[in-house]
Each structure stands twice: as structure tokens, then as C-alpha cells.
Amino acid sequence: MKKVAIGVDVGGTNTAIGVVDSEGNVMVKDSISTPSHGDIDRYINELTVAIKELIKSVKLVNSDVEILGIGIGAPNGNYYSGTIEYAPNLSFKGVVHFVELLRKSFPELPALALTNDANAAAIGEMIYGGAKGMKNFVMYTLGTGVGSGIVVNGDLVYGHDGFAGECGHTTLIPGGRLCGCTSKGHLEAYCSAPGMKRTAFEIMARDNAADSLLADKSFKELDSKMIFDAAEKGDKVALEVFELTGKWLGQGLADTVHHLSPEAIFLFGGPTAAGDYIFKPTRESLENHLLPIFKDKIKILPSKLKPGDAAIVGASALVWKEVEK
């Protein structure tokens, strides 16, 4: 009997769904729109239909498949209660009892669990990726925001209320840039993909860098991939963006090391595709900010999750953790 898990990633625009085997391979996948209408019952019905269609298609190929459960990664997902709570980029308002609603359609499944997307990525790294065998590590996800998942003694840290692990909201520069959460100076405001864009425009305004490859890009148009492409061509503004981003990120990671003493910190997300442009200054800054007892001990590693399927795979990993219990 081939055991598999279903991963569901609830994004602001789309919800990705996949059936994942024990090696982290996505056997089949699909996506549906994450609606703007705010009707959770209607959405759960659509999600149920999509999941059942994927199960059917897998069983047509291999009738000996056993579905162990469904893991869900979602913004503001609370593992303890199975709820999505006050997610700013979803149309569902207030506290949504997501697991309870979905359980009605799948009463036969052994495991149904939900957490936020960064926590799901951390579990995915532990079950399928570079953190196999590690008991103490941290996953940082760099994208529209900066998320994190903390693993201590082999277990994800949820805190007393289910929301532990918001390292992206560490105050990096008091009174600094406005963060998406409306506070100022958080790590996320500097090291997310939008943060890198803001850095680029600040540098160009400071230096009047009309000759930069980025100078003719509008604020709406510019993204971290364009900054990487310009850095590859030796653009001074782009190179400085990566130097500054790495400096700030390393400073934030040093705080994490001082709190947790992890074996490794994994970085995942669009900006990490830049390789040494981001990893080199981050490692240097980390070492510069560490206490002597931590120097040269902490590995900064790229995630080994496949970028295209990482959200689905990470969510599905929740199931394997549940059935281990």
C-alpha cells in the first residue's frame, strides 16, 4: 500500500493542491481560485471537489494508494485550533474554523492539520529537504514578507497560542521603514522582496544613479528578479541592494541564533535564487553580529524544497508529523 498525503496551500489569489508521496514527490496537483467573495462555505465546497478529483485521479493510476490526511498551509493559520485568524490578504473575515469545516467532507481521514505557510515550509524541510535528521533549525521564507518556522528538539515551536515564530517582525531599525503590519523598522520591511525594491529606490535617490539598469523601472514594475539580473551585469545599485539586504538579514539572523542556538538556518523564497549575491553578505553579517561562543558554528543553507512545489510539499509534511504521533 503506497501511503500519500495531500498538501493544500491557501494563497491570497490561488489555492494550490497536490498529492505527495513519502519522498516529497508531487504525484498530481491542481489549483483553484482563492475567492474574493468571502463565502467560506462555498470555498470549502470548491476545495472539497478539487481534492476528491485529485484523489480519484491518483487511485486510477494506483488503486493501492492510502490517503493519510490533509495538511494545510495558510496565512495566520493556527495549528492548535485549526483556524485561520484575521488574515489580511484573504477575503474570509475574523476567525475561520477551517479544519472543522473541511473535516465534515473527509471524516475518514486519519489526519487533518493546519498551520501558517512558513511553519509548513519548516516541516517540509525537516521531512523532505535539507533538514532531515536535524533537531534544531530555523526556516526563513523571503517573499512578499519575511516568515519563519522554528524547530526545537525535533518539534515545531507554536507558543502558547499557536502563533510563535514571527522572526520577520523583529525590530531591526527602531523608527525605520513602515512594515506591512503597520509597525516601523521590522526586518520584513528591509529583507522581503518589496523591501529590496525600496532599498533600490533609496540608493538611486541618494546617488542620482541615472546610469543604473534599474533607473528606468517604475516602482510598481521593479522586482527582485530584475535586481538580480542587473547585479549579474555588474550594476552598482543592484549589487549594493544585495549587500545591504544581506547585512540586515545577517543582523536579524544573529538575534535568532542568540535566542535559539540552531544547527542551521535555511533560507527559502524568490530572493534566495540570487545565490551568493544574498548568501555571502548574509553569512558575513551574521558572523559579525554573533557572540564569540556562536561564531563559525551556524550553517546558512538554501532550502532543498523544489520552488514550484514547495508550498504544497510543505503543507503535506504536516500530515507525516501528525501520523508519527
Side-chain angles (χ1 to χ4, degrees):
M1 185 70 78
K2 185 180 178 68
K3 295 182 177 181
V4 300
I6 294 166
V8 177
D9 175 61
V10 182
T13 306
N14 293 304
T15 296
I17 312 144
V19 180
V20 184
D21 69 17
S22 60
E23 300 300 313
N25 301 308
V26 179
M27 300 167 69
V28 290
K29 61 182 176 180
D30 195 6
S31 68
I32 61 172
S33 294
T34 305
S36 57
H37 54 61
D39 186 336
I40 186 62
D41 293 319
R42 186 169 143 200
Y43 170 66
I44 291 290
N45 287 338
E46 291 168 1
L47 181 59
T48 296
V49 169
I51 291 171
K52 287 185 174 179
E53 283 298 315
L54 287 183
I55 292 172
K56 191 187 299 181
S57 65
V58 166
K59 289 191 172 181
L60 280 174
V61 177
N62 186 344
S63 59
D64 287 333
V65 165
E66 180 185 357
I67 310 294
L68 294 181
I70 302 171
I72 304 131
N76 289 25
N78 188 325
Y79 170 78
Y80 290 148
S81 59
T83 54
I84 298 174
E85 303 186 18
Y86 306 100
N89 62 337
L90 298 181
S91 63
F92 314 119
K93 302 305 178 190
V95 177
V96 177
H97 294 271
F98 202 95
V99 167
E100 181 184 317
L101 291 168
L102 194 60
R103 168 63 74 187
K104 293 175 184 176
S105 301
F106 299 95
E108 75 287 358
L109 294 183
L112 234 76
L114 172 148
T115 189
N116 75 38
D117 38 11
N119 285 342
I123 296 174
E125 201 69 48
M126 180 166 53
I127 300 294
Y128 307 118
K132 275 185 180 178
M134 287 188 189
K135 295 291 188 184
N136 295 275
F137 71 94
V138 180
M139 165 74 94
Y140 266 76
T141 58
L142 310 179
T144 305
V146 174
S148 59
I150 298 167
V151 174
V152 173
N153 297 331
D155 290 315
L156 203 72
V157 174
Y158 289 110
H160 86 280
D161 61 354
F163 291 112
E166 291 291 352
C167 297
H169 295 282
T170 301
T171 299
L172 184 77
I173 299 172
R177 290 178 186 169
L178 187 67
C179 183
C181 70
T182 72
S183 290
K184 289 185 176 181
H186 287 179
L187 185 71
E188 180 175 295
Y190 294 86
C191 299
S192 61
M196 293 177 68
K197 176 165 69 171
R198 289 165 78 175
T199 301
F201 277 92
E202 285 176 5
I203 293 168
M204 287 189 285
R206 181 197 71 200
D207 295 346
N208 192 23
D211 58 342
S212 170
L213 295 170
L214 307 177
D216 63 343
K217 307 295 183 189
S218 70
F219 190 82
K220 189 174 182 181
E221 178 185 11
L222 187 64
D223 59 27
S224 59
K225 174 67 165 60
M226 292 176 185
I227 297 171
F228 168 67
D229 290 341
E232 286 276 77
K233 295 172 183 173
D235 185 85
K236 289 181 180 178
V237 170
L239 291 169
E240 188 175 350
V241 169
F242 281 111
E243 283 295 320
L244 286 171
T245 304
K247 181 183 112 176
W248 289 321
L249 184 57
Q251 182 181 337
L253 298 188
D255 287 344
T256 298
V257 170
H258 292 148
H259 295 156
L260 299 166
S261 188
E263 178 180 345
I265 298 175
F266 289 86
L267 302 183
F268 173 80
T272 65
D276 276 347
Y277 286 116
I278 188 72
F279 279 89
K280 187 171 181 289
T282 299
R283 289 189 181 106
E284 288 173 356
S285 176
L286 171 71
E287 293 297 331
N288 288 339
H289 287 96
L290 285 177
L291 285 169
I293 54 171
F294 294 112
K295 286 185 182 293
D296 300 316
K297 285 184 181 177
I298 315 301
K299 293 175 278 195
I300 306 295
L301 301 170
S303 169
K304 286 194 176 177
L305 298 179
K306 297 172 188 174
D309 294 331
I312 292 171
V313 168
S316 75
L318 274 170
V319 174
W320 301 104
K321 281 295 284 182
E322 289 298 297
V323 297
E324 279 177 10
K325 293 179 179 178

